[in-house]
Amino acid sequence: MWITDHWLLLVLLAVYSAVMVHHARVGNRETGGLTDYFVGGRRLGGIALGVSFFATYASTNTYLGFSGKSYSYGLPWLLIIVFAVGMSWLSWVLVAPRLRVFTERVGSITLPDFIGFRFASPAARLISALIVVFASLIYMTAVYKGIGNLLEVVLDLPYVASISLVLVIVMLYTAVGGFHSVVRTDVVQGVLMIAAAALISFGALRAAGGLSAVAKLSTDPSTEHLFTANAGLPLSLLVGVIFATTVKFLVEPRQLSRFYALADERATRKGMWVSTLSLLFVFTLLTPIGLIAHRLIPAGLEDTDRVVPILLTQSGIFGPAAQAFLFLAILSAAMSSLDSVLLVTASTFERDLLGALRPQLEELGALRRTRLAVVAFAILTAILALRPPAGIVELTSFSGALYGACFLPTIILGLHWRRGSGTAVISSFVAGITVLAGWRFVPLSATVHAVFPAVLLSFAAYGVLAWRTEPADTELAREIADISGPGSRA
């Protein structure tokens, strides 16, 4: 019987769901208004937010998409370890300290409203909100695809039923508990995910015959190409994919929202170390899994998103208890990303789209509307995931490229350089999106990833327009000039 075969997994899932319900109730009790619901009242500690920062990023995209991709991309794919750790560290150093202070100063609780405050531009705020909602839908589709594949393989559930199960759980605790609930669940999920990374890595490596057996792949005629610079993609394209997926640490609203909630500078320092070391540990263990899998899965697997699900169900690699735990951990990885993106999407929709278009809407109803938006966006994305347009890594990479091309100049220069205006911001958005949309028609597109010219042109557009237009005369701009010294006033 199906229940007999999966009883342990079902028990763990029931316990896990009960913990999520408890956190939702606690989060709901601690939510007294919009600031509590969106950013935890700006009073959370560095350890919890550091784990949350890591857990929010390391979703099924990492445990299924990134870990399986070395099956086709080979050894060069391991460069993602360096990029992930480096981008995380840069985000905590370049973005976190100022974003925490500035957003509290003006009462900002979303990235688009920070942009609106910083550049005194309702138009820039509105356009950035549309970008956030669109990119979030793409990313959540990737996460749903990953968890749908996992449940389909491990539990023998239909793909639609798999997505529906995750939808109900994550939608309910996010809508009810808000940011407090999300961070609390992220801490639990983060611990599970770290343990799972170690278990998957050591279990797969042991079953493959150890490091010496994996090293023999480099001399096997069928796999030796995986150890060359252009194993699965030209290296320049591969680096572009990696950059696009990891630049999110610096620009994606779900990551940056953790900085809004930091209590003080000490919490910022703790968060930096906790998140960066967690990412180093997990990415180092997971990224080679696809390569190791060549010793366990016959060559020719086309959908690398299925590498880890196949390993979990293959006899002799993991016992029943380990399989149940790993399933739960990867499920939690999906939810740790979905809840954060759902909350960001819903809060952006309520505050920066509805609020901008209908400013007369009373704040009392904002919390209720945001919760309804969480439900609506969860259902919409689940529907989109029924027929996803691409694989996990491809969808993640595209959403990251969109965020990087649009927001990297605005965030980095907007936090560290006084000059800048709504015109400069909007021009950088237009430049970045135009390059991403049209790059495939350029001959260089076969060897250079679109994210690089998109980001470069976006920076150039921002810089030129920032010099040619009057800088926004806002409280934040003046404070940036005071902090950064005379050079920033130019």
Side-chain angles (χ1 to χ4, degrees):
M1 287 181 62
W2 184 85
I3 293 179
T4 304
D5 293 339
H6 302 290
W7 70 269
L8 179 57
L9 192 51
L10 295 174
V11 169
L12 289 177
L13 185 57
V15 173
Y16 175 82
S17 299
V19 172
M20 299 302 102
V21 170
H22 170 69
H23 286 162
R25 293 178 61 189
V26 173
N28 186 53
R29 189 168 61 244
E30 294 182 356
T31 298
L34 285 181
T35 302
D36 287 325
Y37 191 79
F38 288 174
V39 292
R42 306 184 194 274
R43 59 179 183 273
L44 302 185
I47 294 177
L49 286 173
V51 174
S52 181
F53 188 86
F54 145 72
T56 296
Y57 183 85
S59 66
T60 51
N61 298 5
T62 300
Y63 285 75
L64 302 182
F66 296 173
S67 60
K69 210 63 182 178
S70 58
Y71 185 90
S72 59
Y73 285 175
L75 194 64
W77 182 243
L78 272 61
L79 283 171
I80 197 172
I81 301 170
V82 179
F83 275 78
V85 173
M87 290 291 191
S88 171
W89 181 81
L90 280 175
S91 186
W92 284 90
V93 171
L94 290 180
V95 180
R98 293 193 176 193
L99 192 63
R100 180 186 70 80
V101 172
F102 294 161
T103 55
E104 182 176 16
R105 196 89 78 226
V106 296
S108 167
I109 53 180
T110 68
L111 182 60
D113 78 354
F114 168 73
I115 292 172
F117 282 125
R118 166 65 180 87
F119 299 99
S121 175
R125 176 184 178 184
L126 183 62
I127 295 171
S128 62
L130 291 171
I131 294 168
V132 167
V133 171
F134 179 70
S136 296
L137 291 175
I138 294 172
Y139 178 81
M140 286 191 287
T141 300
V143 178
Y144 272 123
K145 181 183 185 300
I147 202 60
N149 286 344
L150 180 68
L151 287 169
E152 188 177 25
V153 172
V154 175
L155 281 183
D156 299 320
L157 284 177
Y159 184 77
V160 175
S162 302
I163 289 176
S164 301
L165 175 64
V166 176
L167 163 68
V168 171
I169 296 174
V170 74
M171 177 178 65
L172 290 178
Y173 80 73
T174 304
V176 172
F179 195 85
H180 282 288
S181 173
V182 166
V183 171
R184 285 175 178 272
T185 56
D186 279 353
V187 171
V188 174
Q189 291 158 342
V191 172
L192 290 175
M193 290 154 63
I194 290 170
L199 185 56
I200 292 174
S201 177
F202 293 131
L205 191 60
R206 184 186 66 250
L211 287 174
S212 59
V214 174
K216 292 179 182 177
L217 292 171
S218 64
T219 57
D220 187 323
S222 65
T223 54
E224 61 182 357
H225 69 283
L226 296 172
F227 293 81
T228 63
N230 300 307
L233 279 180
L235 186 59
S236 55
L237 276 179
L238 181 69
V239 171
V241 171
I242 292 173
F243 176 79
T245 57
T246 55
V247 74
K248 291 183 173 189
F249 286 114
L250 292 160
V251 295
E252 192 170 17
R254 66 179 172 130
Q255 302 295 145
L256 302 187
S257 64
R258 272 67 196 150
F259 302 155
Y260 286 52
L262 287 162
D264 49 37
E265 289 184 20
R266 188 173 176 220
T268 304
R269 290 192 296 271
K270 285 184 179 179
M272 177 187 70
W273 286 110
V274 169
S275 67
T276 303
L277 290 176
S278 298
L279 286 161
L280 175 63
F281 180 80
V282 167
F283 269 73
T284 300
L285 291 176
L286 288 181
T287 307
I289 293 295
L291 203 55
I292 295 169
H294 277 279
R295 300 285 303 177
L296 304 167
I297 300 174
L301 180 67
E302 293 185 2
D303 186 358
T304 60
D305 295 342
R306 300 177 71 88
V307 167
V308 170
I310 290 172
L311 294 180
L312 289 183
T313 55
Q314 205 171 84
S315 61
I317 300 180
F318 302 104
Q323 287 177 332
F325 172 77
L326 288 173
F327 163 80
L328 182 66
I330 297 174
L331 178 64
S332 72
M335 294 186 180
S336 68
S337 288
L338 282 175
D339 55 18
S340 298
V341 183
L342 271 176
L343 190 59
V344 162
T345 309
S347 60
T348 299
F349 179 78
E350 155 59 29
R351 187 172 178 87
D352 303 303
L353 291 179
L354 286 183
L357 296 174
R358 299 180 62 190
Q360 74 277 11
L361 288 172
E362 77 286 354
E363 184 164 316
L364 277 178
L367 203 53
R368 177 177 56 83
R369 289 192 299 273
T370 304
R371 285 176 166 141
L372 290 175
V374 168
V375 174
F377 281 115
I379 294 172
L380 173 60
T381 315
I383 293 171
L384 293 175
L386 296 179
R387 298 188 68 180
I392 292 174
V393 171
E394 290 76 16
L395 290 169
T396 304
S397 175
F398 180 78
S399 68
L402 185 59
Y403 275 126
C406 292
F407 291 145
L408 196 58
T410 299
I411 292 172
I412 300 301
L413 297 181
L415 288 172
H416 293 272
W417 187 33
R418 179 179 181 262
R419 294 200 71 91
S421 62
T423 303
V425 170
I426 294 171
S427 69
S428 72
F429 291 168
V430 172
I433 292 171
T434 300
V435 174
L436 287 179
W439 187 247
R440 58 180 174 165
F441 302 110
V442 177
L444 281 176
S445 61
T447 54
V448 178
H449 194 282
V451 70
F452 293 127
V455 168
L456 287 174
L457 193 58
S458 182
F459 265 104
Y462 183 100
V464 169
L465 270 295
W467 276 112
R468 294 179 64 88
T469 57
E470 283 295 315
D473 186 22
T474 64
E475 176 187 346
L476 293 182
R478 291 189 293 272
E479 188 167 348
I480 290 167
D482 291 338
I483 292 174
S484 303
S488 68
R489 301 173 188 269

